[in-house]
Amino acid sequence: MSIPSGASAAAPRVPEAVHRRRWAILGVLMFSLLIVVLDNSILNVAVKTIASPAPTGIGATQSELEWAINSYTLVFAGLLFTAGLLGDRIGRKKVLLAGILVFGIGSGLAALSTTPGELITWRALMGFGAAFVMPATLAVLMNVFERDEQPKAIGIWAGSVGLGIAIGPITGGVLLEHFWWGSIFLVNVPVVVVALVAMALLVPDSKDPAPGRVDPLGVVLSIVGLVLLVYGIIRGGELASFTDVTVLAPLIGGLLVLTAFVWHEKRSDHPSIDISYFRKPAFSAAVAAIALVFFALMGVTFFSAFYLQSVRGYTALESGLLILPLAAAQMIFAPRARLVVDRFGARAVCTAGMLLVAAGLAAFALFGTDTPLWVLCVVFFVQGTGMAHIMPPVTVAVMQALPRERAGSGSAINNTFRQVGGALGIAVLGSVLSTVYRGDIEGHLGAVPAGARDVAGESIEATLGVAEKLGPAGKPLVAAANDAFIGAMHVTALGSAAVALIGAVVVAAFLPGRQPVQGAGQVSGGAPAEEPVHQR
């Protein structure tokens, strides 16, 4: 319902007691988000260590490493719809506290894993907890800030991702140099304790006064569909073939189940996701941009860890420090992105951001074994700058397209497409990397015992492990492995850049341009301001 001009100033929709401490609340929300982001960024620098044989690591293969990442993101993405609805229904603070607690328990168990299977299981439990954290943080933010301050708050919220990207690899590198690999998960536990105390004291509860019912069938269909689809993609990378029945069956099954999910959501009177949201071109373009940029970037993040550590020989800590330019760009530009959007419009800003991301990804196709460090730093800074001008505007577009009382659902949509895009990016681009690498290295495995050739050709870590066992005779194999990986990385980088270019076309075609100044009772795009928010 529209609010008359000037009414907002006289009677704020956010209670005064909450409004006064809104920036402290944002700090707590950023801390909660930091935990989730920190975990993934730490894991990215630890993949080489975890792939090493015991006692250094647990001997995880490349596909097991992909599943250690994807078990988290798939459970996370599959439960986001329900987590958003539960937050809207029973209270966002309650689900936020529960999610952080489960995440902390999963972190402690993951640290004690002795096999890749255990690590994958406990990472899935961490994803279960994170699914209730991410949408709740953004939903609470939308309910403690007035409409005119929301873009600024979302920019700062998005900038905290850059902080996590910076702290994660450096923290992971320090821990891996002084402790065993499980310490990268154990470090989450004290952070969780601090977050729980801060949330209990500062964060207000809020919920939808007229919530929808939970959609268990929709949840099951989304989880099953995503797991089948990504399993098929990863299996294709393992076999270096996408025509095998064990690849085609899950791929086709996943697509059919996801089609059934959409069909069910359109006909349900209490859907997990309201399909009608996607009839708005700007809304659809925004979520597509989120998915595409994370599809491209997560795949590159996965293989860049092997490039920096396996090919270039940097330690986990040194690799983490090389990511600093990307993080710095995010922290510098994300909180200020709203100012650029005000001047040029979301369409121009997000298109330029996508082109910067595409340029940064394409640059990986020029990297070799001796590329100067300053070039890597410039490329990472360009990528971070591009992301900083994409994520805040598209997040604002998604969140402000929905009524404030449905903030949990809006946040769930935003984060689901982000996580699904990232998971598929790791699966698809990881499979491309594996397939091209295997094809290039197979001709150089003549000196390897016949029984070990399949394992040696699976990944660069496996090849280097076999080469080390061969002693001096393995030196030519090391050089061949580096060359094969560089070639595979070039192909994968160009594929990532192509995906980012598709994203640029999507946002250029469908995101709105510069918006005219609205009246006091209207928001950007002419949508009426919301009803008072229900806080407790």
Side-chain angles (χ1 to χ4, degrees):
M1 183 177 74
S2 260
I3 296 175
S5 180
S8 177
R13 294 184 298 278
V14 176
E16 183 59 31
V18 173
H19 184 73
R20 283 198 303 268
R21 66 177 193 269
R22 64 195 185 283
W23 296 110
I25 294 169
L26 178 59
V28 175
L29 297 178
M30 289 171 60
F31 194 62
S32 307
L33 178 66
L34 183 63
I35 298 171
V36 178
V37 176
L38 187 75
D39 175 73
N40 271 332
S41 58
I42 283 181
L43 185 59
N44 284 330
V45 301
V47 289
K48 180 178 183 294
T49 304
I50 296 173
S52 302
T56 303
I58 52 177
T61 65
Q62 181 165 310
S63 61
E64 286 170 338
L65 288 172
E66 290 177 11
W67 273 110
I69 296 172
N70 282 333
S71 65
Y72 176 95
T73 52
L74 286 176
V75 173
F76 187 8
L79 291 175
L80 276 169
F81 296 143
T82 298
L85 287 171
L86 284 177
D88 289 343
R89 185 181 183 87
I90 67 175
R92 289 133 192 165
K93 181 176 181 178
K94 295 183 183 68
V95 300
L96 186 56
L97 290 169
I100 285 288
L101 180 61
V102 171
F103 184 88
I105 293 171
S107 297
L109 293 171
L112 303 177
S113 300
T114 57
T115 66
E118 289 180 5
L119 178 60
I120 291 168
T121 299
W122 300 131
R123 284 278 297 166
L125 181 63
M126 293 169 68
F128 184 93
F132 291 85
V133 175
M134 185 72 84
T137 60
L138 194 50
V140 170
L141 182 154
M142 298 299 289
N143 280 276
V144 299
F145 284 91
E146 297 291 356
R147 186 88 176 191
D148 59 343
E149 282 190 322
Q150 286 172 1
K152 180 180 180 181
I154 289 175
I156 296 172
W157 179 87
S160 66
V161 174
L163 184 61
I165 291 172
I167 294 176
I170 296 171
T171 304
V174 171
L175 291 172
L176 291 172
E177 285 198 356
H178 296 89
F179 305 100
W180 98 113
W181 69 267
S183 62
I184 66 170
F185 296 111
L186 200 61
V187 72
N188 291 334
V189 177
V191 180
V192 163
V193 173
V194 174
L196 286 171
V197 173
M199 284 179 211
L201 294 175
L202 287 174
V203 175
D205 206 356
S206 62
K207 62 181 181 179
D208 185 350
R213 288 184 290 145
V214 175
D215 176 25
L217 179 57
V219 172
V220 172
L221 289 173
S222 64
I223 293 176
V224 171
L226 287 169
V227 170
L228 285 173
L229 183 64
V230 177
Y231 174 79
I233 293 168
I234 294 175
R235 181 64 176 161
E238 288 178 328
L239 299 178
S241 170
F242 283 82
T243 58
D244 190 274
V245 66
T246 60
V247 177
L248 288 176
L251 281 175
I252 295 171
L255 291 173
L256 289 175
V257 172
L258 290 175
T259 301
F261 168 73
V262 174
W263 182 88
H264 168 72
E265 296 301 292
K266 290 176 69 175
R267 285 155 180 78
S268 175
D269 59 356
H270 57 283
S272 293
I273 178 172
D274 190 341
I275 302 298
S276 65
Y277 295 152
F278 292 90
R279 294 173 186 163
K280 303 175 181 178
F283 182 89
S284 296
V287 295
I290 292 169
L292 290 170
V293 74
F294 273 89
F295 180 100
L297 280 170
M298 288 300 291
V300 171
T301 302
F302 181 73
F303 72 64
S304 65
F306 288 100
Y307 169 69
L308 292 172
Q309 296 180 49
S310 299
V311 177
R312 301 298 297 269
Y314 297 118
T315 65
L317 176 57
E318 290 168 340
S319 298
L321 290 171
L322 286 171
I323 303 295
L324 272 177
L326 187 148
Q330 289 232 26
M331 288 186 287
I332 292 169
F333 295 114
R336 296 168 175 81
R338 75 188 192 284
L339 303 176
V340 187
V341 172
D342 288 343
R343 181 169 182 179
F344 299 105
R347 179 191 301 158
V349 172
C350 290
T351 301
M354 277 289 191
L355 292 175
L356 283 177
V357 169
L361 296 173
F364 273 88
L366 304 176
F367 287 1
T369 56
D370 56 357
T371 301
L373 283 182
W374 69 266
V375 175
L376 273 66
C377 291
V378 169
V379 168
F380 283 131
F381 188 83
V382 168
Q383 288 181 332
T385 301
M387 281 197 69
H389 289 90
I390 297 169
M391 299 313 298
V394 296
T395 302
V396 169
V398 171
M399 297 304 296
Q400 292 195 344
L402 280 66
R404 184 185 295 209
E405 62 270 16
R406 300 296 172 88
S409 299
S411 180
I413 293 170
N414 177 76
N415 288 293
T416 296
F417 275 82
R418 171 183 167 183
Q419 292 301 320
V420 170
L424 292 178
I426 291 170
V428 173
L429 298 178
S431 295
V432 170
L433 182 76
S434 177
T435 300
V436 177
Y437 177 81
R438 182 187 289 270
D440 288 348
I441 197 64
E442 279 181 346
H444 300 276
L445 299 177
V448 177
R453 287 176 188 170
D454 283 344
V455 174
E458 184 175 311
S459 67
I460 186 172
E461 276 303 302
T463 307
L464 294 178
V466 170
E468 185 177 357
K469 292 178 182 178
L470 293 175
K475 287 185 178 180
L477 186 56
V478 172
N482 288 339
D483 290 340
F485 184 87
I486 291 293
M489 183 181 75
H490 289 171
V491 173
T492 309
L494 291 175
S496 303
V499 171
L501 287 175
I502 293 172
V505 172
V506 170
V507 297
F510 298 108
L511 277 188
R514 185 178 178 184
Q515 298 295 307
V517 177
Q518 304 293 325
Q522 299 288 314
V523 296
S524 179
E530 310 99 324
E531 291 280 4
V533 63
H534 294 257
Q535 297 270 8
R536 286 191 293 150

